[in-house]
Amino acid sequence: FTFIDDCVEGVLRLTFSDCDVPINLGSTEMVDMNEFAKMALSYEDKQDMPIKHIEGPMGVRGRNSNSKLILEKLQWEPTIKIIDGLRKTYFWIKGEIDREVKEGNTTDFSKSEVVQQVDDSLMQLGNDESTV
């Protein structure tokens, strides 16, 4: 995970560099989804709230990036910690929801929908006339 400010900084540095190889702009911090959820819950002092596992495809246990190449090519790496970037994002979203509610929006923002994606529809991306 990388906060948008670091993403923009990295893309700008990459754009104005002579680097000609793909670079991962990701954070070197390792985090799994349970840790990520606990971080978000901590902002409202709800870290004791149970985390409900939603069945889905098994992925990697955690995500992080190796910054060796980005340091070599750009002499830079992301600086915003995941917990700080998530905090900014969390309170921005909360502010947007509060604004929507004040404006009379009656959407139940506490509900979400699990979207199931199948390979067939993914394979259609880019092949549809509308996306060409």
Side-chain angles (χ1 to χ4, degrees):
F1 297 98
T2 305
F3 188 64
I4 188 64
D5 292 2
D6 275 340
C7 290
V8 171
E9 174 82 15
V11 168
L12 288 172
R13 285 175 178 264
L14 187 57
T15 300
F16 295 107
S17 76
D18 60 357
C19 181
D20 61 355
V21 296
I23 287 186
N24 187 333
L25 296 177
S27 169
T28 58
E29 286 182 88
M30 175 68 89
V31 64
D32 64 36
M33 294 289 70
N34 287 337
E35 290 172 301
F36 200 72
K38 287 175 186 175
M39 283 181 207
L41 291 170
S42 74
Y43 305 136
E44 298 284 350
D45 200 27
K46 296 181 180 180
Q47 54 268 44
D48 293 330
M49 183 181 242
I51 297 173
K52 179 183 174 190
H53 176 72
I54 298 173
E55 290 297 326
M58 179 58 93
V60 296
R61 296 258 181 238
R63 298 197 179 274
N64 71 334
S65 175
N66 180 333
S67 65
K68 182 180 176 189
L69 186 60
I70 195 170
L71 283 168
E72 175 189 319
K73 298 291 186 179
L74 303 180
Q75 293 76 54
W76 175 86
E77 66 180 328
T79 60
I80 299 172
K81 300 281 183 209
I82 291 173
I83 195 164
D84 298 329
L86 181 59
R87 180 182 294 111
K88 286 181 181 184
T89 304
Y90 176 91
F91 284 108
W92 177 82
I93 292 170
K94 185 176 181 183
E96 290 297 299
I97 291 172
D98 290 347
R99 183 182 54 77
E100 289 280 335
V101 170
K102 281 181 186 173
E103 291 175 0
N105 187 335
T106 58
T107 301
D108 183 358
F109 293 107
S110 70
K111 304 269 189 255
S112 63
E113 178 180 329
V114 175
V115 177
Q116 301 247 334
Q117 185 72 50
V118 293
D119 287 346
D120 293 348
S121 61
L122 288 174
M123 297 305 288
Q124 286 298 98
L125 293 175
N127 292 331
D128 293 342
E129 293 289 325
S130 62
T131 61
V132 178

